[in-house]
Amino acid sequence: MSRADKSAAIAELAEKFRSSNAAVLTEYRGLSVAQITELRGALRGNATYAVVKNTLTELAAKEAGVTAFDGQLVGPSAIAFVEGDPVEAAKGLRDFAKANPLLVIKGGLLEGKALSAAEITKLADLESREVLLAKLAGAMNASLSKAVYLFAAPLSQTARVVDALRAKVEVEGPAAAAPAAEAAVEETPAETAPAAEATEDVATGGDDA
């Protein structure tokens, strides 16, 4: 490899370190080309898996300010540069390593913090971004349902909720506002049910539509 080619390779690796959400260093000794291709397919969409030269990678890491792999760049090395969800990438590497023990996860880097192989396994055990977003959406929908329930309540109950909320804030501060509102709404479900039904009839036109 010429000096120009080495310089270009170092610059490319340094940029990958800078632009990636995370990076995982592995040793692939004994894996076939077909197995490496399979791993790349498993990581597609979240990470790119690149076979690297240790000396050039050390220089690139130094240029990018990365110290997580110091002393670990020995043997046949490959790095998963994560551009997508780090949890999904960690899952892909963990699952592949279980089925192909010749792949050794040596360490990683996540948002500037060095990770051990054990920490990468723990990362793989977390819920993915999509699952967490789904749970958040569910929680938001639940809160929205309570809000609609409150808006459909009689004016007297709404005023009582507002008064309870104001008193709670004055005593305990703004952080107590949401629990106070929920408690006030849940105290009198029998009163609000007819109002909610009436609202639904107005929205749908009732049985006469």
Side-chain angles (χ1 to χ4, degrees):
M1 182 181 286
S2 68
R3 184 182 297 273
D5 289 339
K6 288 180 180 179
S7 297
I10 291 169
E12 182 179 356
L13 285 169
E15 180 56 31
K16 282 184 175 292
F17 277 122
R18 294 190 191 99
S19 62
S20 299
N21 299 328
V24 180
L25 175 64
T26 68
E27 183 176 312
Y28 65 93
R29 189 190 307 273
L31 290 179
S32 66
V33 173
Q35 287 172 316
I36 292 176
T37 301
E38 179 186 348
L39 176 56
R40 284 175 171 150
L43 297 175
R44 186 171 293 118
N46 288 300
T48 56
Y49 190 70
V51 173
V52 298
K53 294 184 179 297
N54 292 331
T55 302
L56 297 183
T57 304
E58 286 178 351
L59 294 172
K62 183 177 181 180
E63 183 176 319
V66 172
T67 60
F69 301 146
D70 288 357
Q72 298 189 68
L73 287 162
V74 293
S77 301
I79 298 177
F81 291 101
V82 182
E83 303 93 6
D85 188 345
V87 173
E88 285 299 318
K91 287 181 190 295
L93 288 165
R94 178 202 60 191
D95 294 346
F96 187 88
K98 284 182 178 179
N100 303 271
L102 290 175
L103 179 73
V104 178
I105 297 174
K106 302 175 72 172
L109 175 72
L110 176 62
E111 296 181 352
K113 180 181 181 297
L115 299 178
S116 66
E119 287 172 326
I120 292 170
T121 299
K122 289 181 180 179
L123 180 65
D125 291 336
L126 297 177
E127 292 177 325
S128 68
R129 179 175 179 272
E130 286 71 18
V131 172
L132 291 175
L133 286 175
K135 287 188 174 182
L136 177 61
M140 291 177 67
N141 285 337
S143 297
L144 182 60
S145 296
K146 289 185 177 181
V148 171
Y149 193 60
L150 174 61
F151 294 150
L155 182 60
S156 59
Q157 184 186 353
T158 302
R160 184 164 59 82
V161 170
V162 172
D163 288 341
L165 186 59
R166 183 184 298 114
K168 193 77 171 176
V169 170
E170 289 175 354
V171 174
E172 300 181 20
E182 292 180 4
V185 171
E186 291 169 357
E187 284 179 3
T188 56
E191 295 179 12
T192 59
E197 292 172 1
T199 302
E200 183 178 353
D201 286 341
V202 171
T204 60
D207 295 333
D208 297 331

